[in-house]
Amino acid sequence: QGMFSYLRERFSSHLRERSRRRARLVSKDGRCNIEFGNVEQSRFVFLIDIWTTILDLRWRYKMTIFISAFLGSWFLFGLLWYVVAYIHKDLPEFNPSINHTPCVENINGLTSAFLFSLETQVTIGYGFRCVTEQCATAIFLLIFQSILGVIINSFMCGAILAKISRSKNRAKTITFSKNAVISKRGGKLCLLIRVANLRKSLLIGSHIYGKLLKTTITPEGETIILDQVNIEFVVDAGNENLFFISPLTIYHIIDSNSPFFHMAAETLLQQDFELVVFLDGTVEATSATCQVRTSYIPEEVLWGYRFAPIVSKTKEGKYRVDFQNFSKTVAVDTPHCAFCLYNEKEAKAKEKKGYDNPGFVLSEVSETSDTKM
């Protein structure tokens, strides 16, 4: 019976964890978990912006299009060259005379026509097969295939180069801590996140901010799913133009304007929210802008912890970053809610001040000098 209860509890907790993961909008690596349904516009609109469509494709689809574009064009023009040779009666089955001048030398069938199409489009030029001045149609087809081949080469090679050099690949070398923590910093209760740049090249003009996603109900009774609330993150030098040479700990001050103000350590896991953190910057090497995203759900926010230090100085005078402790946390004394912390501060401040009692009246008492013996 005990084993059955334990397995049932583990199974239900696993289902809850899966449902929570399924409801996550942004994954830890920044991918968005969303799909569009009943879109009125046709998929033809994606072909209008074909360049962006090709860039957004996965590599397996892109390589399929790449190979299909070349093989398809080679075979199509191979058929056209075969048709030209057939109409001009250059093929061996027509038994051309010795004085017959073909449109294309040494095309004997569909295979040789395909090989000539391949040699023409990729400008191999073996010299065995060539166009003669006998047919204007063949000359026009040669010019047209050469121009179209340059266009296909430029587009497909450019698409592959652009996808390789996309700034989102640079974003993979920016990492966030696995958990967010809540603890005191500078006498204030703060939510802290650690972020690191794994490359020595900097991100220029870096800016970091956050969005809290939750379901809210307006005073009119409207339910808004994925309602977005701005979360301001700062470091000691501000939240713009970060000097991103070493890991930074960014923090959000939990004050009366913060959506975390009315949360407590005991009720945090009962909340239903997702904190999405964004880091925007310009890649120093390519001057391309990039954005890094990650998210935190209530189970990934640790109340009463701080991050372990990871930067040290060696004997040689170099600064060393130990990424083994990057997401490591240490328990610290922390108020169990922001409201209690500020109430405690108010109470201490009032203790240092005096208070006037408006109902207190000072009355003078005259002492008599007569004393009876």
Side-chain angles (χ1 to χ4, degrees), residues 101-268:
T101 303
C103 292
V104 182
E105 295 281 356
N106 299 311
I107 287 186
N108 303 317
L110 186 59
T111 303
S112 56
F114 174 80
L115 291 176
F116 178 71
S117 172
L118 170 62
E119 295 169 15
T120 301
Q121 187 164 326
V122 299
T123 63
I124 294 177
Y126 290 123
F128 182 68
R129 301 178 183 88
C130 61
V131 176
T132 65
E133 67 274 9
Q134 185 69 23
C135 298
T137 305
I139 296 174
F140 173 78
L141 186 60
L142 176 68
I143 295 173
F144 182 71
Q145 184 177 6
S146 299
I147 295 175
L148 186 62
V150 171
I151 295 174
I152 295 176
N153 286 341
S154 302
F155 184 85
M156 298 309 301
C157 294
I160 290 181
L161 180 61
K163 189 171 182 65
I164 293 174
S165 60
R166 290 184 81 176
S167 57
K168 74 183 216 176
N169 296 324
R170 174 65 174 92
K172 294 180 180 178
T173 56
I174 306 295
T175 181
F176 287 88
S177 57
K178 182 180 178 181
N179 299 100
V181 297
I182 295 179
S183 60
K184 290 175 65 175
R185 187 183 182 95
K188 299 177 181 178
L189 194 64
C190 300
L191 183 141
L192 300 98
I193 296 171
R194 180 171 275 174
V195 58
N197 178 17
L198 301 181
R199 288 187 179 272
K200 291 186 178 180
S201 59
L202 300 178
L203 282 180
I204 303 172
S206 301
H207 173 66
I208 196 159
Y209 57 97
K211 299 286 185 181
L212 188 72
L213 308 179
K214 60 179 182 177
T215 302
T216 58
I217 300 177
T218 63
E220 295 77 19
E222 179 186 2
T223 301
I224 302 178
I225 300 176
L226 297 180
D227 186 25
Q228 301 183 16
V229 181
N230 288 328
I231 302 294
E232 294 292 335
F233 280 99
V234 296
V235 293
D236 293 333
N239 65 340
E240 294 185 359
N241 300 322
L242 306 177
F243 186 48
F244 210 3
I245 194 64
S246 64
L248 297 175
T249 301
I250 60 173
Y251 58 91
H252 163 70
I253 301 175
I254 303 179
D255 54 14
S256 57
N257 297 321
S258 171
F260 295 96
F261 184 74
H262 297 287
M263 299 183 190
E266 296 82 4
T267 61
L268 179 63

Side-chain angles (χ1 to χ4, degrees), residues 32 71 92 316:
C32 295
L71 290 179
E316 294 80 12

Side-chain angles (χ1 to χ4, degrees), residues 266-285:
E266 296 82 4
T267 61
L268 179 63
L269 296 179
Q270 302 172 7
Q271 304 294 327
D272 185 15
F273 67 83
E274 181 178 351
L275 175 62
V276 184
V277 184
F278 303 86
L279 173 64
D280 298 338
T282 303
V283 181
E284 187 179 31

